[in-house]
Amino acid sequence: MNATAAMYEGGGVLEGAVVAVAGAAGAAGRATLLRLAERGATVVACDAHPERLAEAVDAARYAHGGATVTGETVDLLDPAAARAWADRTEAEFGRIDGLVHLVGGWRGGSGLTESSLADWDFLEKLLIRTVQSTSLAFQDALQRSDRGRYVLISAAGAGRPTAGNAAYAASKAAAEAWTLALGDAFRKAGGDAGPTAAAAILVVKALVHDAMRAERPNAKFAGFTDVKELAEAIAGVWDTPAGEVNGKRLWLTPKP
């Protein structure tokens, strides 16, 4: 643990932090909610699927007794709804120290000419618009924090697109560019002293979890990142000074 983390007890720099998690109802969301709660954070989750979200929130609460984990349905395609979520969170808890963006999805085909622009329309909303909405809604609060972090999960394919993966790779690349622009805003706000908030990108090839392994016991999932490992890496972004992670791609899989 670095010197900054040593200033805090229990969960380190996440002890007492307030972290929002967008797209929290999937396997990666469940693992992330649990790890953040274990590290002492108050976790405020949202997703478009209320029943799955409630299950994820309850699982985190029960697995770590005493943790504050809440959830609500938020339309992140609506910038006003995203901003209202941020405002409610800061008003209730007094601060916001992080936004973890886990909203995901995939569509693809066998080749470029077989691609449907409907896939782009779908992915542009899911993978880009939600990044725009959350970053615009949470930027000011993260800058007010002494440990603000915006964490995007991206894919190695964003920098090495394939013919059948054009819409997905282009969407991920655009989401990365927007997040790096947020990092530039944090850098400029910090001035000569350096940024106090950071925007970081965690890059994976793909994610795997226990249910996937159970369904495909003979699969190797080479290069995949387990959702528990991802959750640990997400929490670890707070353990590193803002200036060292701001505007950086942090690879959890070998670079292509």
Side-chain angles (χ1 to χ4, degrees), residues 86-173:
D87 291 344
R88 286 194 303 274
T89 300
E90 190 170 22
E92 180 173 356
F93 297 105
R95 59 187 297 133
I96 299 175
D97 302 293
L99 186 288
V100 180
H101 187 279
L102 291 173
V103 181
W106 182 86
R107 285 188 181 179
S110 57
L112 192 62
T113 56
E114 291 79 23
S115 298
S116 168
L117 290 181
D119 291 345
W120 168 259
D121 292 339
F122 172 78
L123 293 170
E124 184 270 337
K125 293 183 176 67
L126 202 62
L127 303 183
I128 304 173
R129 291 270 300 281
T130 58
V131 170
Q132 293 170 327
S133 293
T134 52
S135 62
L136 293 172
F138 283 83
Q139 178 183 348
D140 289 345
L142 294 177
Q143 287 183 173
R144 286 190 288 270
S145 168
D146 59 348
R147 45 187 150 158
R149 299 290 188 273
Y150 185 98
V151 184
L152 174 74
I153 313 306
S154 190
R160 201 168 180 179
T162 61
N165 216 21
Y168 177 76
S171 298
K172 280 293 190 183

Side-chain angles (χ1 to χ4, degrees), residues 21-102:
V21 180
R30 286 182 176 233
T32 300
L33 297 186
L34 176 57
R35 189 63 188 123
L36 292 173
E38 288 174 340
R39 290 284 304 271
T42 292
V43 190
V44 183
C46 89
D47 201 277
H49 303 280
E51 292 183 359
R52 290 170 52 200
L53 176 62
E55 292 173 357
V57 168
D58 286 345
R61 285 175 180 163
Y62 295 145
H64 189 72
T68 300
V69 185
T70 67
E72 64 178 290
T73 304
V74 181
D75 180 6
L76 296 179
L77 295 179
D78 180 356
R83 189 170 296 278
W85 179 41
D87 291 344
R88 286 194 303 274
T89 300
E90 190 170 22
E92 180 173 356
F93 297 105
R95 59 187 297 133
I96 299 175
D97 302 293
L99 186 288
V100 180
H101 187 279
L102 291 173

Side-chain angles (χ1 to χ4, degrees), residues 47 60 190 206 246 249 251:
D47 201 277
N246 185 46
R249 293 180 175 91
W251 288 77

